């Protein structure tokens, strides 16, 4: 029996319906083939597999078989029920069947001489045929091979794979690995056998847990490269693919007011209604004021807005707001505003993101403010933070609403933060707030350094914070190097020289 | 039961006469047990339900059901020394037991 291998053979795919995973897999798992799921203990292999089966059965109406080498059917059913997946009901209604290879209570299993695995295949086959299953999850092949020690693992896995392929089922086989990076799994040959290899990782990074999924190979198909973070929520796995989203986001030329007429003028007529705006500056320069104003303005136009606060409590925000003539409490009462306060430390970045997405989904706002992003940066690694920002911005862009992020810089005068360097390319507009020390006085200056798709004011404008909010004054004259943090007075002569150099 | 040793040999789609495991097990039993044993051969092809019940994943598999504890050996018992050891005929290499 020979199969003609055609280089451009079209691979049929089976969607897993696991949130975000099919984007990373460019459609799903290879149909009627074997995919390998590799990961260390606790990396989420069983949950991935269970969700694959659950969604196949309930959403695609395809029956499935669970081949367990580890836990008993009873334990699996019990453990997985916390996700709201009723496997017992699936078994009772003949849509799911278990093949358990773990009941063995024999004192000593010994391998002595030659043997073959046809009976194992036969057992899986019997279960598949009984309920006409189209999906199989084997968990985990390592538990099985461990018992077999010196056995020829590669050959056996080949036998098992080809048997599964012959049954016409789409299978996912999990395998244990003992380290997160380095050698792929306990048995190197496993990866050669499978058409598709997924790696799950579970690493501790700066005291925070980080879970990622990576497609190592996908025979005959393109796939997304790199590691994608995922989280295990109470309704299952949520993978965060950063790709594929940006492409679908359209941009509009419609403007939306910032809440400050002068600032709108500086931006060339307001923010774009589906853009991401970053406001960066040291503490006390009015970032919270600007974000409060941003959401308040939405509400004034009968639009809905969410303010995610990571630094201040609801009471503090409301009190601050009333100090600037912004009645946030009233806006919330009228249902136009939702203020969500969270400690950055209360969850990992993936969980924060997931919760934010859920709130956004429920509330359907036209504007979203996050005050501040840098509060989150403080508690997670640089890489996680970057992924968090990418995921959040692409999500907001996809929704085509306006996002307003603040960033607190570490130094009072000038300077750029890690946050700025990380997210500046992702944002459409950047507003810098700075303290300016001239003539023995601290003043505040603001400038628009980026306004994608529009002209904007290039001057550095002085402003003050009053009971009416933020009041813009005149541009600074005769001072330079404000933004770099060391302003100095410029003489008339110097200015002439500079002007000549520029023009 | 006068015979203290009881074995079940599970095969798949194979006659006992064709099975190396059957041949090796018989020879070991004759050598160590003087024919005082029970041996049952099951072809899982014809009784597949037993594979689930007994949790058998490979063939040949030999279960020593008596004496306790029940012991299982997977494979064709091609090395008589280690096979005798695992079947409990010998308690120590180079020393005949029982």
């Amino acid at each position: 029996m020979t199969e003609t291998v055609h280089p451009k053979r079209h691979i049929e795919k089976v969607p897993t319906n696991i949130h975000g995973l099919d984007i990373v897999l460019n459609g799903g798992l290879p149909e009627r083939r074997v995919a390998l799921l590799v990961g260390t203990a606790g990396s989420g292999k069983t949950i991935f597999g269970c969700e694959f089966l659950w969604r196949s059965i309930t959403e695609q109406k395809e029956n499935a078989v669970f081949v367990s080498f580890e836990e008993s059917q009873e334990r699996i059913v019990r453990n997985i029920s916390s996700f709201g997946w009723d496997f017992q009901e699936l078994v009772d209604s003949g849509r799911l069947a278990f093949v358990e290879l773990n009941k063995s209570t024999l004192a000593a299993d010994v391998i002595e001489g030659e043997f073959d695995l046809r009976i194992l295949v036969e057992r899986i086959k019997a279960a598949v045929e009984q309920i006409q299953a189209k999906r199989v999850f084997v968990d985990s092949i390592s538990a099985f091979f461990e018992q077999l020690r010196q056995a020829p693992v590669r050959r056996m896995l080949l036998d098992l794979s080809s048997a599964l392929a012959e049954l016409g089922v789409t299978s996912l086989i999990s395998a244990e690995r003992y380290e997160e990076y380095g050698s792929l799994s306990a048995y190197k040959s496993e990866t050669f056998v499978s058409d598709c290899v997924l790696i799950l990782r579970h690493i501790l990074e700066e005291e925070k847990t980080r879970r990622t999924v990576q497609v190592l190979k996908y025979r005959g198909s393109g796939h997304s490269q790199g590691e994608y973070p995922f989280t295990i929520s109470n309704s299952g796995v949520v993978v965060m693919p950063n790709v594929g989203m940006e492409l679908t986001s359209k941009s509009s030329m419609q403007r939306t007011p910032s809440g400050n007429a002068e600032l709108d003028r500086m931006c060339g007529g307001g923010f774009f209604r589906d853009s991401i705006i970053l406001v960066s500056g040291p503490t006390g320069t009015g970032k919270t004021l600007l974000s409060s104003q941003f959401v308040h303005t939405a509400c004034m136009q009968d639009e809905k807005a969410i303010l995610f606060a990571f630094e201040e409590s609801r009471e503090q925000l409301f009190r601050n707001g009333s100090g600037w003539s912004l009645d946030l409490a009233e806006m919330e009462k009228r249902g136009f505003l939702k203020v969500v306060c969270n400690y950055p430390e209360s969850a990992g970045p993936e969980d924060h993101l997931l919760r934010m997405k859920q709130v956004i989904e429920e509330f359907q706002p036209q504007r979203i403010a996050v005050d501040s992003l840098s509060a989150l940066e403080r508690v997670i690694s640089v890489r996680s933070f970057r992924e968090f920002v990418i995921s959040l911005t692409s999500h907001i862009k996809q929704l085509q609403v306006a996002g307003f992020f603040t960033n607190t810089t570490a130094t009072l005068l000038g300077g750029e933060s890690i946050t700025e360097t990380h997210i500046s390319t992702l944002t459409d507009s950047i507003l810098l707030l700075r303290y300016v020390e001239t003539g023995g006085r601290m003043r505040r200056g603001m400038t628009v350094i980026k306004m994608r798709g529009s002209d904007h004011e290039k001057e550095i404008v002085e402003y003050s914070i009053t009971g009416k909010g933020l009041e813009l004054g005149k541009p600074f004259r005769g001072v330079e190097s404000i933004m770099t943090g060391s302003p100095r007075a410029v003489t008339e002569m110097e200015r002439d020289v500079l002007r000549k150099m520029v023009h | 039961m006068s015979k203290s040793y009881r074995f079940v040999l599970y095969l798949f789609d194979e006659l006992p006469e064709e099975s190396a495991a059957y041949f090796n097990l018989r020879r070991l039993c004759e050598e160590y047990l003087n024919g005082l044993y029970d041996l049952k051969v099951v072809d899982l092809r014809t009784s597949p339900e037993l594979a689930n019940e007994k949790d058998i994943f490979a063939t040949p598999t030999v279960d020593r059901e008596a004496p306790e504890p029940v012991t299982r050996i997977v494979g064709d018992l091609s090395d008589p020394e280690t096979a005798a050891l695992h079947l409990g005929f010998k308690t120590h290499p180079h020393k005949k037991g029982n």
Side-chain angles (χ1 to χ4, degrees):
Chain A
M1 209 171 62
T2 49
E3 201 184 350
T4 322
V5 181
H6 194 271
K8 277 186 182 165
R9 182 178 48 179
H10 184 59
I11 296 250
E12 292 292 336
K13 294 191 179 183
V14 168
T16 63
N17 285 18
I18 293 175
H19 195 105
L21 184 63
D22 295 330
I23 296 176
V24 177
L25 286 168
N26 268 13
L29 295 175
E31 190 178 21
R32 300 160 77 101
R33 282 162 200 274
V34 176
L36 195 68
L37 185 65
V38 185
T40 53
S43 60
K45 299 187 293 296
T46 305
I47 295 165
F48 254 83
C50 286
E51 184 161 358
F52 169 57
L53 298 188
W54 169 257
R55 297 202 179 276
S56 298
I57 297 168
T58 60
E59 293 169 15
Q60 301 166 9
K61 311 294 173 210
E62 297 286 9
N63 292 351
V65 168
F66 193 130
V67 181
S68 177
F69 287 107
E70 274 171 19
E71 294 194 273
S72 66
Q73 174 178 341
E74 195 194 349
R75 271 186 69 99
I76 293 163
V77 168
R78 198 172 55 228
N79 290 346
I80 224 70
S81 67
S82 61
F83 293 100
W85 306 334
D86 191 349
F87 273 25
Q88 192 54 53
E89 200 276 317
L90 297 182
V91 171
D92 295 342
S93 58
R95 293 184 284 171
L96 175 67
F98 277 86
V99 176
E100 282 186 73
L101 291 134
N102 49 7
K103 286 178 290 192
S104 183
T105 49
L106 299 176
D109 276 356
V110 182
I111 310 289
E112 165 52 40
E114 289 284 306
F115 63 91
D116 76 68
L117 294 174
R118 279 179 300 165
I119 186 60
L120 169 65
V121 171
E122 207 63 24
R123 287 174 67 180
I124 298 172
K125 194 174 160 187
V128 165
E129 282 169 356
Q130 200 189 341
I131 60 164
Q132 311 220 316
K134 287 280 180 283
R135 312 274 189 269
V136 171
F137 175 47
V138 181
D139 190 39
S140 83
I141 201 80
S142 312
F144 180 52
F145 288 157
E146 230 139 74
Q147 295 179 40
L148 305 184
R149 281 173 292 260
Q150 75 276 48
V153 169
R154 181 180 175 152
R155 198 206 74 210
M156 293 192 312
L157 193 65
L158 260 170
D159 289 352
L160 183 60
S161 302
S162 54
L164 286 169
E166 262 172 50
L167 285 175
V169 293
T170 303
S171 347
L172 188 61
I173 297 181
S174 75
E176 192 116 348
R177 69 195 299 217
Y178 303 103
E179 44 188 313
E180 295 295 355
Y181 292 92
S183 75
L184 190 65
S185 68
Y187 313 94
K188 290 190 184 70
S189 47
E190 280 145 79
T191 56
F192 297 108
V193 175
S194 321
D195 291 301
C196 173
V197 179
L198 294 173
I199 304 177
L200 301 184
R201 291 193 177 85
H202 182 226
I203 32 190
L204 206 61
E205 206 174 71
E206 290 168 28
E207 295 176 13
K208 291 282 167 186
T209 293
R210 181 183 146 85
R211 292 179 185 279
T212 63
V213 56
Q214 181 193 356
V215 183
L216 184 77
K217 78 163 197 187
Y218 202 143
R219 204 172 276 164
S221 164
H223 60 85
S224 301
Q225 305 287 334
E227 293 178 36
Y228 294 91
F230 73 91
T231 183
I232 297 171
S233 75
N234 49 20
S235 57
V237 172
V238 179
V239 179
M240 283 151 220
N242 303 324
V243 291
M245 289 189 168
E246 205 102 14
L247 300 169
T248 60
S249 62
K250 296 177 287 235
S251 59
S252 98
M253 291 306 282
Q254 247 183 310
R255 302 270 186 166
T256 184
S258 67
N260 187 307
E262 277 300 296
L263 180 58
D264 288 349
R265 191 192 55 77
M266 280 179 74
C267 296
F271 299 138
F272 287 113
R273 74 172 308 127
D274 59 347
S275 66
I276 308 280
I277 303 115
L278 175 70
V279 178
S280 189
T283 176
T285 47
K287 295 183 300 299
T288 303
L289 162 56
L290 282 173
S291 21
S292 301
Q293 207 166 47
F294 179 74
V295 294
H296 187 266
T297 308
C299 304
M300 291 293 281
Q301 325 180 87
D302 289 352
E303 285 185 347
K304 293 203 279 185
I306 298 181
L307 173 59
F308 291 102
F310 289 105
E311 288 186 340
E312 285 166 295
S313 70
R314 166 184 300 271
E315 288 69 32
Q316 269 175 305
L317 283 166
F318 289 173
R319 198 174 55 230
N320 293 345
S322 57
W324 306 311
S325 322
L326 303 172
D327 196 347
L328 298 179
E330 173 65 19
M331 291 298 174
E332 196 166 47
K333 210 159 60 181
R334 285 174 47 203
F336 285 108
L337 177 66
K338 192 173 185 70
V339 177
V340 182
C341 298
N342 264 318
Y343 282 111
E345 291 85 356
S346 66
E350 289 85 9
D351 294 314
H352 273 304
L353 186 64
L354 190 65
R355 279 187 219 165
M356 290 167 85
K357 282 183 179 175
Q358 281 165 351
V359 176
I360 293 167
E361 171 86 36
E362 281 163 26
F363 198 67
Q364 298 281 328
Q366 279 84 35
R367 291 185 181 203
I368 296 157
V370 181
D371 185 40
S372 68
L373 276 185
S374 39
L376 281 169
E377 183 192 2
R378 211 171 58 224
V379 296
I380 59 182
S381 72
V382 171
R383 189 162 61 170
S384 292
F385 180 71
R386 188 174 163 74
E387 280 168 357
F388 171 83
V389 176
I390 293 172
S391 302
L392 182 63
T393 47
S394 46
H395 187 68
I396 291 178
K397 281 193 174 185
Q398 209 179 22
L399 295 172
Q400 301 191 27
V401 298
F404 192 93
F405 303 158
T406 67
N407 169 53
T408 308
T409 49
T411 52
L412 282 185
L413 299 164
E416 67 172 15
S417 71
I418 298 167
T419 319
E420 269 175 35
T421 53
H422 272 316
I423 62 186
S424 55
T425 54
L426 303 168
T427 55
D428 300 299
S429 309
I430 300 177
L431 210 59
L432 289 188
L433 308 178
R434 291 287 187 264
Y435 284 109
V436 183
E437 187 198 347
T438 56
R441 271 186 60 218
M442 273 298 208
R443 298 151 76 180
R444 295 186 182 99
M446 171 196 296
T447 190
V448 180
I449 62 164
K450 176 179 173 186
M451 190 75 200
R452 197 173 278 167
S454 164
D455 194 19
H456 60 86
E457 199 74 59
K458 313 275 190 309
E459 281 171 316
I460 300 165
V461 178
E462 180 167 11
Y463 67 95
S464 53
I465 294 170
T466 70
K468 279 185 271 177
L470 202 134
E471 281 188 61
L472 273 74
K474 289 194 167 63
F476 282 97
R477 299 276 180 220
V479 187
E480 67 172 24
S481 301
I482 292 172
M483 291 300 144
T484 55
S486 50
R488 61 187 182 95
V490 185
T491 63
E492 281 298 322
M493 212 178 77
E494 259 182 29
R495 198 177 299 152
D496 282 342
V497 173
L498 284 171
R499 195 170 291 142
K500 272 175 200 146
M501 282 167 67
V502 175
H503 294 288
Chain B
M1 270 283 198
S2 60
K3 294 167 181 174
S4 57
Y5 277 86
R6 198 167 72 245
F7 302 99
V8 183
L9 172 65
Y10 297 95
L11 301 174
F12 185 81
D13 202 16
E14 199 177 23
L15 291 170
E17 302 82 70
E18 303 165 346
S19 161
Y22 180 75
F23 175 79
N24 290 333
L25 182 61
R26 282 279 302 272
R27 202 180 55 185
L28 283 162
C29 287
E30 292 302 326
E31 182 183 347
Y32 289 93
L33 307 175
N34 301 315
L36 289 172
Y37 63 94
D38 264 347
L39 171 59
K40 196 167 98 183
V41 182
V42 175
D43 187 348
L44 294 172
R45 178 105 210 174
T46 49
S47 28
E49 69 289 343
L50 268 178
N52 279 326
E53 191 186 309
K54 297 286 180 183
D55 193 19
I56 291 159
F57 58 85
T59 53
T61 287
V62 181
D63 276 0
R64 189 192 74 190
E65 295 195 333
E68 297 272 338
V70 176
T71 304
R72 171 170 291 183
I73 302 173
V74 175
D76 65 4
L77 313 174
S78 51
D79 178 357
E81 285 294 311
T82 39
L85 193 69
H86 294 317
L87 287 168
F89 299 162
K90 296 203 297 184
T91 51
H92 192 272
H94 314 298
K95 192 183 111 189
K96 284 192 180 181
N98 284 65

